[in-house]
Amino acid sequence: MRIDIISIFPEFFGVLDISLLGRARQAGLIDLAVHNLRDFTHDRHNTVDDTPYGGGAGMVMKPEPWGEALDSILPATDETDAGTPERATGPVLIFPSPAGEQFTQAMARELAREPHLVFGCGRYEGIDQRVVDHFAGRGRVRLVSLGDYVLNGGEVAVMAMIEAIGRLIPGVVGNPESLVEESHEDGLLEYPSYTKPASWRGLDVPPVLLSGNHGAIAAWRRQQQIDRTRAVRPDLLPAEDDADLQPPANSK
Ligand SMILES: Oc1ccccc1-c1ccno1
């Protein structure tokens, strides 16, 4: 997968040189480039923002630098390309935004199948809307929100998305099995995990986990998932009458 990031703080992404994603880049599984938006300005102060039309507090990111930056990354197209099949296969341009669709594990899985992602990190009060409108006419553009809260810019959101997406790319995580039993992979929150010692500060590991009875362990873990999800994320539970959520007959 090719990933391009545009930001006024490119140094923010230095952490993508280390750990899992750093190793994936060294292995050639991910080809990542970070671009400084200010490199696409031409004034002495490398200006990227200006006051908002219509008034209001804060500053808005100017369209021109974004246009030049994105033109340098996205495939050139002319007006006749609008609506051609290529638009369904070209890069996906993602702008983190509080006004975006919610980022989910399902979206991470979907985006992990894409060959090329381009992330645009907005700052200030956001990016001139015409940037989104213009490039929506040239390919797939998505506004994506991490959640219902406000950040100072898109960089943190892009880091989170790249981690969530990158770990799903085949070969990035050593043991693909570890991707299966995680929160949100099967729609429920994950079960609690324990390791040695069997007793710690008077707290014991649930006996079923020491029993060697794999059927009972699987049933206990499933019930833990259901109980945890019901307690903190009832919105993730399917319809109450879903037979899959009923505890197995032998687990009482
Ligand atoms: O609050 C933001 C500001 C800029 C870019 C993104 C965000 C955001 C907030 C939640 N998800 O994304």
Side-chain angles (χ1 to χ4, degrees):
M1 177 186 286
R2 167 78 184 189
I3 298 176
D4 287 283
I5 304 169
I6 302 171
S7 168
I8 60 172
F9 296 119
E11 62 277 12
F12 200 101
F13 298 96
V15 73
L16 294 177
D17 294 337
I18 62 175
S19 188
L20 198 70
L21 290 175
R23 289 195 297 274
R25 293 174 68 185
Q26 287 164 2
L29 294 169
I30 296 175
D31 173 22
L32 186 141
V34 185
H35 311 267
N36 187 337
L37 183 66
R38 294 192 192 278
D39 291 347
F40 298 90
T41 61
H42 307 288
D43 64 301
R44 189 153 58 96
H45 299 293
N46 300 114
T47 307
V48 293
D49 64 321
D50 204 332
T51 54
Y53 278 121
M59 303 289 272
V60 175
M61 298 192 97
K62 294 167 57 60
E64 301 96 325
W66 279 102
E68 290 191 29
L70 289 166
D71 282 348
S72 74
I73 296 167
L74 299 175
T77 57
D78 59 40
E79 291 313 310
T80 57
D81 286 336
T84 54
E86 288 69 32
R87 288 185 64 228
T89 59
V92 182
L93 174 52
I94 299 166
F95 292 103
S97 166
E101 56 186 301
Q102 174 77 47
F103 184 67
T104 62
Q105 188 67 11
M107 188 188 294
R109 279 198 295 271
E110 176 195 344
L111 294 174
R113 291 192 291 270
E114 291 289 341
H116 188 184
L117 302 178
V118 180
F119 290 94
C121 299
R123 282 263 147 182
Y124 312 112
E125 295 311 307
I127 303 170
D128 187 300
Q129 179 61 35
R130 290 169 293 180
V131 174
V132 172
D133 297 344
H134 170 76
F135 286 97
R138 287 180 44 182
R140 293 174 291 166
V141 177
R142 299 180 78 164
L143 297 184
V144 179
S145 168
L146 276 195
D148 295 336
Y149 43 80
V150 180
L151 302 169
N152 291 326
E155 284 80 7
V156 167
V158 167
M159 288 287 283
M161 286 191 264
I162 288 177
E163 175 148 328
I165 295 163
R167 62 197 302 278
L168 298 176
I169 294 171
V172 172
V173 170
N175 174 13
E177 275 300 304
S178 65
L179 295 175
V180 175
E181 296 186 339
E182 294 185 315
S183 280
H184 304 291
E185 266 311 314
D186 60 1
L188 299 176
L189 300 185
E190 62 192 10
Y191 51 75
S193 297
Y194 299 83
T195 187
K196 302 178 186 64
S199 187
W200 176 73
R201 296 188 178 183
L203 299 171
D204 298 339
V205 170
V208 67
L209 298 180
L210 308 177
S211 68
N213 179 336
H214 298 295
I217 291 170
W220 179 87
R221 284 175 166 172
R222 181 66 177 173
Q223 191 56 51
Q224 288 291 313
Q225 281 188 277
I226 293 166
D227 295 347
R228 279 183 145 193
T229 305
R230 186 169 283 130
V232 297
R233 288 296 305 275
D235 59 295
L236 296 177
L237 289 173
E240 270 303 305
D241 59 359
D242 184 312
D244 188 36
L245 283 185
Q246 306 312 319
N250 64 357
S251 65
K252 292 293 182 194

